Amino acid sequence: MVFRHRQVIDTLPSYKQGKPAPQVEGRRSFKISSNENPYAPLPSVRQAIADKALARINRYPDMRGWSVVERLAAETGVRPENIQLGCGSTEVITQLVNLVAGKGDEVVYPWRSFEAYPIIVTTAGAESVQVPLTPEGAHDIDAMIAAVNDRTRLVIVNNPNNPTSTSVSDADVRRLLAAVPQDVLVLIDEAYVQFNTDPDTCVGMDLFREFPNVVVAQTFSKAYGLAGLRIGYAIGPEDVIDGMRKVALPFGVSAAAQVAAVASLDAYDELSERVDALIAERTRVIETLRGQGWRIPVPNANFFWLQLGERTDVIAGYFEKAGLSVRVFSGEGIRITIGEHEANDLVIAVCAQVFALTHSKALVD
């Protein structure tokens, strides 16, 4: 029996979680498919959760998340009314799309980009306008501007872009904002902002302060290492944030997540050391792979992109056999998270093997 449902849902792929590490006999395996922070939570964060949250899990959390909101307001210099929490940045993006877009409306975003975008837009009843990336894996700003029309309700900038790890320049985003009507919101999705070392990159908070239609989304999942607790936030105009609260999932952010977020902000210096270490590892890996002969877009997140085209699935098999789970986009490429030093060494070894086989035409499934 086929139950009655919205037929458009049948056109959507399910969101796929990164595969767990494959089991290879005699070898340690690594999961580098989900852009997770490889470091365990800081002891101070674990202790804060134990002291302030675990004993009260029989109670609902503060739905507004005031302890986090007020702390973020102080950190960023905005009003609490400009901040909305969500179950990860994915949920605040969902809130924003549900607020502004419905049947007959359009949301413009780069593609390939974050896999949740088409799911979020379609479930809101709106239509996706996917603007292809440049051959280098970057936003095509001119094409995004050309895609905006009277039906556009939101334009998304993914900086750095997932999965290509490319940065979007300040000049390009300003050009986009100058072309977009002021009653159309522009979302700067900055899930990986702490890893972005591009000196020319756009800074979401700078643009929020200058333009009336900018919303910024960030998360505690990546640099702060709280992916398992699910907490992110949006900063935007007060009327937009008020609207997002109306469509938010009630009690979506747990008390444990809120406590952990504040404790992580308290421990920012320690966490920054971990971010710096991952950036250093990223530099080491990319320089080594380029020395092998690989052409890789300059990465500005905690992952990098191998554009492989039709060879993607075959090459993915070599990573799996080596005990590495990577994020595979069939026919396009592979996204590889910067992980533990040992995992990164294994990536380097597999890439050397694959590059040699590819150029000797000995690559086999």
Side-chain angles (χ1 to χ4, degrees), residues 300-352:
N300 279 286
N302 65 333
F303 56 88
F304 65 95
W305 174 247
L306 294 180
Q307 188 167 323
L308 302 168
E310 62 184 15
R311 302 174 297 162
T312 297
D313 289 343
V314 172
I315 291 175
Y318 283 82
F319 285 98
E320 185 172 0
K321 290 174 185 176
L324 296 167
S325 69
V326 293
R327 194 57 174 260
V328 180
F329 299 86
S330 294
E332 297 180 63
I334 294 175
R335 188 191 71 194
I336 300 175
T337 305
I338 299 297
E340 301 90 333
H341 188 92
E342 185 180 349
N344 300 331
D345 282 347
L346 192 52
V347 167
I348 289 170
V350 173
C351 284

Side-chain angles (χ1 to χ4, degrees), residues 9-253:
I9 302 301
D10 293 337
T11 69
L12 285 174
S14 298
Y15 186 87
K16 295 180 180 179
Q17 184 174 4
K19 290 183 178 180
Q23 298 303 307
V24 179
E25 187 175 354
R27 185 192 293 271
R28 182 185 176 190
S29 298
F30 298 92
K31 180 187 178 188
I32 50 173
S33 56
S34 293
N35 298 340
E36 295 158 329
N37 192 316
Y39 296 108
L42 289 172
S44 62
V45 175
R46 295 200 301 266
Q47 191 62 51
I49 294 171
D51 292 345
K52 301 178 181 179
L54 292 185
R56 295 183 55 80
I57 59 174
N58 59 313
R59 302 293 185 184
Y60 285 111
D62 172 13
M63 196 163 76
R64 185 71 174 93
W66 278 112
S67 62
V68 185
V69 167
E70 290 178 344
R71 179 62 181 274
L72 286 172
E75 294 277 346
T76 59
V78 303
R79 291 166 51 84
E81 290 79 9
N82 293 118
I83 300 173
Q84 168 64 1
L85 301 184
C87 185
S89 57
T90 303
E91 203 230 329
V92 294
I93 295 169
T94 302
Q95 294 170 12
L96 182 61
V97 173
N98 284 337
L99 170 64
V100 301
K103 185 177 181 180
D105 299 327
E106 294 180 349
V107 177
V108 175
Y109 54 86
W111 196 255
R112 175 166 294 276
S113 194
F114 182 35
E115 293 168 272
Y117 291 157
I119 298 172
I120 293 169
V121 172
T122 300
T123 53
E127 297 179 21
S128 289
V129 178
Q130 298 179 342
V131 179
L133 300 173
T134 69
E136 296 75 32
H139 286 49
D140 187 335
I141 294 297
D142 289 332
M144 292 180 70
I145 291 171
V148 175
N149 59 41
D150 290 342
R151 296 173 61 192
T152 306
R153 295 295 177 268
L154 179 67
V155 179
I156 301 176
V157 174
N158 189 202
N159 187 38
N161 186 58
N162 178 9
T164 58
S165 201
T166 50
S167 177
V168 189
S169 73
D170 180 71
D172 275 347
V173 179
R174 287 179 182 277
R175 192 155 52 86
L176 174 69
L177 285 163
V180 172
Q182 288 194 353
D183 60 352
V184 173
L185 294 177
V186 175
L187 170 67
I188 313 294
D189 182 359
E190 293 184 326
Y192 303 92
V193 63
Q194 292 87 355
F195 300 99
N196 193 341
T197 54
D198 179 4
D200 297 321
T201 192
C202 81
V203 178
M205 287 306 301
D206 290 348
L207 297 171
F208 164 74
R209 292 185 175 94
E210 293 183 44
F211 293 87
N213 57 332
V214 168
V215 179
V216 180
Q218 294 191 10
T219 184
F220 286 91
S221 294
K222 310 302 181 184
Y224 293 94
L226 301 182
L229 285 178
R230 310 306 303 131
I231 178 167
Y233 58 95
I235 295 177
E238 289 187 26
D239 56 341
V240 174
I241 296 300
D242 182 60
M244 290 172 64
R245 286 202 298 270
K246 294 177 181 178
V247 298
L249 175 70
F251 306 108
V253 180

